[in-house]
Amino acid sequence: AQSVAQPEDQVNVAEGNPLTVKCTYSVSGNPYLFWYVQYPNRGLQFLLKYITGDNLVKGSYGFEAEFNKSQTSFHLKKPSALVSDSALYFCAVRFQGGKLIFGQGTELSVKP
Amino acid sequence: GAVVSQHPSRVICKSGTSVKIECRSLDFQATTMFWYRQFPKQSLMLMATSNEGSKATYEQGVEKDKFLINHASLTLSTLTVTSAHPEDSSFYICSARGHGRTSDTFGNEQFFGPGTRLTVL
């Protein structure tokens, strides 16, 4: 079965430090991977996606993610965290027809 | 970029009543819309996929007679929670996928609504 997992429920980072939010996947065939961010009581905002091509994908708000086929990972990164980055982050894999299956979510907390 | 709206943003109802939630694509035609349910601090669970003009496809474990989905036009899908009970209280989120090359600068092709908070007393 195709799935994604986010091993950390919460990540705490100091403002200005680099951040990483982890995601691993299990899919058959080539994965279509996504990262979304959710602020309290809001819908999801798209950050970036990997379909094919360069393993390092750049997205919205200065975020990037690295696709690693050998480790079946797609970690989200940002070189310098902002307090305003504090939110709930979801990794997702896309099935045929556009259906998205989400990971459990990771709560990112960036302290001043 | 493409915008998806949901109405209402929050609703409180009595147990046993039915509640309708609307999902609209404001500036593009959505051939496919998805309905998700989210409990506090948990992931989104896909409930159903609806394609304009055809019956919705429900995920395993989702009662189609309880969660009625209608996708009557290319810009509107509705989710009706029938005979709502307190356990149906949740955050309901829709997303819409456009036809053809609807996407934004970063290649996003599926756009999410802001969600509807349903509380059943």
Side-chain angles (χ1 to χ4, degrees):
Chain A
Q2 307 203 77
S3 64
V4 290
Q6 294 176 240
E8 303 157 316
D9 290 336
Q10 182 152 11
V11 170
N12 297 307
V13 176
E15 187 176 30
N17 283 2
L19 69 86
T20 298
V21 183
K22 296 180 180 177
C23 172
T24 58
Y25 65 90
S26 173
V27 302
S28 55
N30 294 321
Y32 289 6
L33 298 163
F34 296 75
W35 275 104
Y36 288 86
V37 60
Q38 184 182 34
Y39 295 96
N41 292 309
R42 303 292 296 274
L44 271 63
Q45 295 180 33
F46 171 85
L47 288 177
L48 48 80
K49 72 178 183 184
Y50 174 82
I51 303 296
T52 186
D54 290 341
N55 289 343
L56 186 64
V57 180
K58 293 189 182 297
S60 310
Y61 312 119
F63 283 92
E64 57 188 31
E66 186 168 10
F67 173 69
N68 188 316
K69 189 172 183 177
S70 63
Q71 297 186 3
T72 62
S73 67
F74 188 57
H75 301 334
L76 181 71
K77 300 181 180 185
K78 187 172 183 181
S80 179
L82 300 173
V83 173
S84 57
D85 292 329
S86 298
L88 195 54
Y89 289 80
F90 291 101
C91 183
V93 61
R94 193 179 82 187
F95 286 77
Q96 191 173 10
K99 192 163 71 169
L100 290 171
I101 303 299
F102 290 88
Q104 306 94 310
T106 298
E107 187 164 2
L108 173 67
S109 177
V110 182
K111 300 293 186 187
Chain B
V3 178
V4 176
S5 70
Q6 279 184 245
H7 178 79
S9 58
R10 57 181 62 214
V11 57
I12 301 173
C13 69
K14 293 182 179 179
S15 185
T17 60
S18 293
V19 175
K20 180 185 283 188
I21 302 170
E22 293 185 347
C23 177
R24 292 182 184 272
S25 58
L26 298 185
D27 49 3
F28 68 102
Q29 293 184 327
T31 50
T32 305
M33 287 184 170
F34 304 89
W35 286 95
Y36 296 86
R37 183 174 180 176
Q38 184 182 29
F39 291 105
K41 301 230 172 176
Q42 292 190 29
S43 188
L44 280 74
M45 301 301 295
L46 179 65
M47 299 174 67
T49 303
S50 77
N51 292 297
E52 185 268 338
S54 62
K55 289 185 178 180
T57 302
Y58 290 81
E59 295 299 303
Q60 192 172 12
V62 178
E63 299 176 61
K64 60 182 178 182
D65 293 332
K66 180 164 185 64
F67 299 100
L68 301 178
I69 291 172
N70 185 285
H71 192 164
S73 77
L74 284 172
T75 60
L76 173 64
S77 175
T78 60
L79 167 67
T80 301
V81 183
T82 63
S83 188
H85 291 283
E87 57 266 31
D88 299 325
S89 299
S90 192
F91 195 51
Y92 292 88
I93 302 175
C94 72
S95 70
R97 196 170 181 223
H99 176 69
R101 297 177 60 79
T102 303
S103 67
D104 66 10
T105 306
F106 293 100
N108 181 27
E109 300 166 343
Q110 188 172 144
F111 302 91
F112 285 80
T116 296
R117 172 77 58 196
L118 170 64
T119 302
V120 185
L121 303 176

